[in-house]
Amino acid sequence: MKKILLFLVLILPMPGFASDGSVREIKSCFDSFKKYVMEKKGNEFISCVNKRSISYCSELVEDSLYLPADKFSSLSMIDRYLIMRINISIPMGILLKMYGKEFLIYSVTNGWFTDEFIPSLTIDNVAINGDTAHADIYQNGRNTGAKYKFMKEDGQWKFVFISHFAIINSSLKSYQLKSGKSENDYLKGILQPLVDYRLDDYIFEPVLKK
């Protein structure tokens, strides 16, 4: 499964007319995302996320079970991190019944995406092109140079949560380079405190075989 995350935030949106009502809806959707993540309200979180983000997470769950090690190494750091965390955190009995919706409810409820920097994020300069919108991301009032993506589905604006994955991926890569470790060793290091046993290279292997 090929993941091209950074494209989602680096692509430049076509200029579009953004009505005040649409901009308010998009900003309200983003505020809901922050609120539900910080308050660990997984069931409510699902209501503000677009369908593609949910199906993407279904693919991650499947990869956590079956993806061969050689293909695992070609994934983005955030995908590898999430697959590894799935495998060390979610009991097999639950995992085998899990799809994207259930994964997001579980992960948000258990604080996987809760981070102290989330409340400092805001969006502005919303550009809408049909049913797609992009917005500049600000942190503590400063433009980060990155963008979040939103999609209109069934008449409502939804947050493209995988555009947030791209932000996390950039952060992981930056810290990994500073650490001097390989990507996989760095990921093992940040996951190690979550378990009381030593994480070894077996973590890169599929749990099951098709």
Side-chain angles (χ1 to χ4, degrees), residues 139-188:
Q139 184 171 14
N140 296 318
R142 299 181 65 178
N143 194 327
T144 65
K147 297 180 184 293
Y148 278 140
K149 186 177 180 180
F150 299 81
M151 297 291 295
K152 197 169 191 178
E153 296 178 347
D154 303 322
Q156 292 186 315
W157 285 102
K158 302 287 186 175
F159 181 46
V160 179
F161 187 47
I162 49 178
S163 65
H164 184 62
F165 284 8
I167 303 301
I168 301 174
N169 193 72
S170 296
S171 179
L172 285 172
K173 185 61 181 177
S174 176
Y175 284 117
Q176 174 261 322
L177 290 172
K178 291 177 182 177
S179 75
K181 298 179 180 179
S182 69
E183 291 182 350
N184 284 345
D185 282 346
Y186 177 75
L187 292 174
K188 280 194 298 184

Side-chain angles (χ1 to χ4, degrees), residues 6 12 23 27 59 69-70 77 127 134 176 192-193 196 198:
L6 292 180
L12 295 175
V23 171
K27 289 186 175 182
E59 296 170 14
D70 59 335
M77 288 188 71
H134 293 80
Q176 174 261 322
Q192 184 61 69
D196 57 3
R198 178 179 172 79

Side-chain angles (χ1 to χ4, degrees), residues 4-17:
I4 310 177
L5 290 170
L6 292 180
F7 175 78
L8 291 169
V9 292
L10 297 178
I11 186 171
L12 295 175
M14 294 292 291
F17 175 74

Side-chain angles (χ1 to χ4, degrees), residues 6-139:
L6 292 180
F7 175 78
L8 291 169
V9 292
L10 297 178
I11 186 171
L12 295 175
M14 294 292 291
F17 175 74
S19 70
D20 289 344
S22 293
V23 171
R24 282 195 299 270
E25 289 175 18
I26 289 168
K27 289 186 175 182
S28 176
C29 175
F30 182 66
D31 288 340
S32 294
F33 151 71
K34 293 198 301 179
K35 172 183 172 67
Y36 297 146
V37 166
M38 294 306 296
E39 295 180 0
K40 302 179 183 179
K41 293 183 176 180
N43 286 292
E44 290 85 349
F45 174 83
I46 289 295
S47 67
C48 65
V49 177
N50 77 315
K51 295 174 183 176
R52 175 56 190 142
S53 293
I54 295 173
S55 64
Y56 187 93
C57 289
S58 291
E59 296 170 14
L60 282 178
V61 171
E62 183 173 0
D63 281 351
S64 74
L65 292 170
Y66 303 110
L67 191 70
D70 59 335
K71 293 185 178 180
F72 175 87
S73 297
S74 68
L75 300 180
S76 65
M77 288 188 71
I78 181 58
D79 283 355
R80 278 177 279 163
Y81 169 83
L82 288 173
I83 288 172
M84 293 163 68
R85 188 161 184 180
I86 288 170
N87 285 337
I88 67 173
S89 302
I90 302 179
M92 183 60 67
I94 296 175
L95 185 57
L96 289 172
K97 301 175 183 178
M98 186 174 279
Y99 293 94
K101 179 180 178 180
E102 292 78 14
F103 165 72
L104 285 172
I105 292 172
Y106 181 97
S107 57
V108 171
T109 300
N110 285 279
W112 288 24
F113 302 104
T114 302
D115 199 296
E116 61 183 13
F117 79 89
I118 295 289
S120 69
L121 298 178
T122 55
I123 58 171
D124 206 351
N125 305 325
V126 178
I128 299 175
N129 184 32
D131 289 337
T132 303
H134 293 80
D136 291 339
I137 305 170
Y138 288 76
Q139 184 171 14

